[in-house]
Amino acid sequence: MTDALRPMAKQRLYEQVLDRLRQYVTEGGLRAGDRLPPERDLAQRLGVSRASVKQAIVVLEVQGLVEARHGGGTYLVRDSLDVEPVERMVERRRRLPDVLEAREALETKLAELAAERRTDDDLAALRSALAHMAEEIEAGGAGVEGDRRFHAAVTAAAHSALLAEFMRSIAEQIAESRTESLRQPGRPNRSLAQHRAILDAIAEGRPRQAAAAMRRHVRTVAKVRLLDWDPEEDDR
């Protein structure tokens, strides 16, 4: 039986605030670096509680669209507020812990094996990936492609066909967790530094240290605002 006529989800009040903020930024011609009005002013002008405005701002922060500076207001990170649908965020939040758990189990072992089995070509690929990530960050990017290349190079250096197949089977979810992590403030440079520690251990042929460095890295990846966000928090 089709569920097309199931009850429609009621739009949360802060989702309506998000719609209005997107419209405000577009019609006002705001750009990256511009400041949004204070939460109190927004609440008064929209006729909602400050809690509703705060929830909307948190959603924008989670998506990397604004930066809330302590005591200094909220600033646009991009030239528009192209907000991802909240329900999609809720789904991503639901599955992210399982993805991160799988990544820690698989990639820790891959790093250990890479330290035992890597070839000169493998090391060259790892170094090339880090150089690419550094260039991306230097140019103002998040280093997403360099990050992808590095983790792919670690997988290749492990020379384990079955583990590589497992990684391919969750590639889409890994990409999602990568993007989520690298949009956190200061995260790209921190990830780059952790990648270098992983590479050093692999290059020196130290399996235990490589595994430990990878475990620390994946646990850093897991520290994202999305997992702290409560989509059902009362915003009335």
Side-chain angles (χ1 to χ4, degrees):
M1 178 182 293
T2 179
D3 66 343
L5 297 182
R6 68 189 182 281
M8 294 179 64
K10 185 176 180 181
Q11 189 178 39
R12 302 172 182 87
L13 189 55
Y14 68 80
E15 292 181 73
Q16 298 177 49
V17 174
L18 286 168
D19 290 339
R20 292 294 190 89
L21 289 176
R22 180 170 54 243
Q23 182 181 352
Y24 171 79
V25 168
T26 300
E27 294 179 356
L30 274 65
R31 294 288 182 266
D34 289 341
R35 181 179 177 177
L36 291 177
E39 290 179 6
R40 179 176 298 166
D41 290 355
L42 287 171
Q44 290 176 346
R45 292 167 68 176
L46 292 169
V48 299
S49 69
R50 286 189 67 180
S52 296
V53 173
K54 188 177 293 293
Q55 267 283 64
I57 296 298
V58 168
V59 170
L60 295 174
E61 283 186 273
V62 167
Q63 295 189 24
L65 298 173
V66 302
E67 176 187 8
R69 302 173 187 172
H70 184 66
T74 303
Y75 295 81
L76 295 180
V77 173
R78 303 181 188 176
D79 293 338
S80 65
L81 293 182
D82 294 326
V83 184
E84 177 185 12
V86 170
E87 291 308 318
R88 193 180 301 167
M89 289 178 62
V90 171
E91 280 299 304
R92 195 167 73 253
R93 181 180 182 275
R94 179 188 59 77
R95 63 177 171 263
L96 187 57
D98 287 341
V99 175
L100 294 167
E101 185 178 77
R103 285 194 64 178
E104 181 173 337
L106 290 169
E107 297 196 64
T108 297
K109 186 61 179 179
L110 286 165
E112 178 184 332
L113 292 175
E116 296 173 348
R117 302 173 178 177
R118 84 287 184 276
T119 66
D120 288 344
D121 286 344
D122 292 328
L123 292 176
L126 287 163
R127 293 183 177 114
S128 175
L130 287 194
H132 186 85
M133 186 174 182
E135 290 172 2
E136 287 182 290
I137 296 171
E138 182 67 25
V144 173
E145 175 59 19
D147 185 289
R148 185 197 66 77
R149 293 184 188 184
F150 178 77
H151 285 274
V154 172
T155 298
H159 297 280
S160 171
L162 189 54
L163 288 179
E165 180 59 32
F166 287 153
M167 290 293 288
R168 282 192 293 273
S169 72
I170 59 170
E172 185 176 337
Q173 293 91 332
I174 288 175
E176 193 174 69
S177 68
R178 171 179 297 116
T179 301
E180 196 67 50
S181 176
L182 290 173
R183 65 166 48 143
Q184 307 305 302
R187 183 62 55 81
N189 278 311
R190 185 175 181 185
S191 284
L192 180 61
Q194 291 180 334
H195 286 171
R196 286 175 174 145
I198 295 166
L199 172 56
D200 287 346
I202 291 174
E204 293 166 10
R206 297 184 295 156
R208 290 179 59 188
Q209 289 84 348
M214 180 63 83
R215 183 175 295 108
R216 283 192 297 271
H217 174 56
V218 176
R219 290 181 179 178
T220 296
V221 170
K223 296 175 182 177
V224 295
R225 284 293 305 274
L226 179 64
L227 295 180
D228 295 330
W229 169 61
D230 180 4
E232 302 304 329
E233 184 175 307
D234 184 9
D235 68 336
R236 300 290 170 177

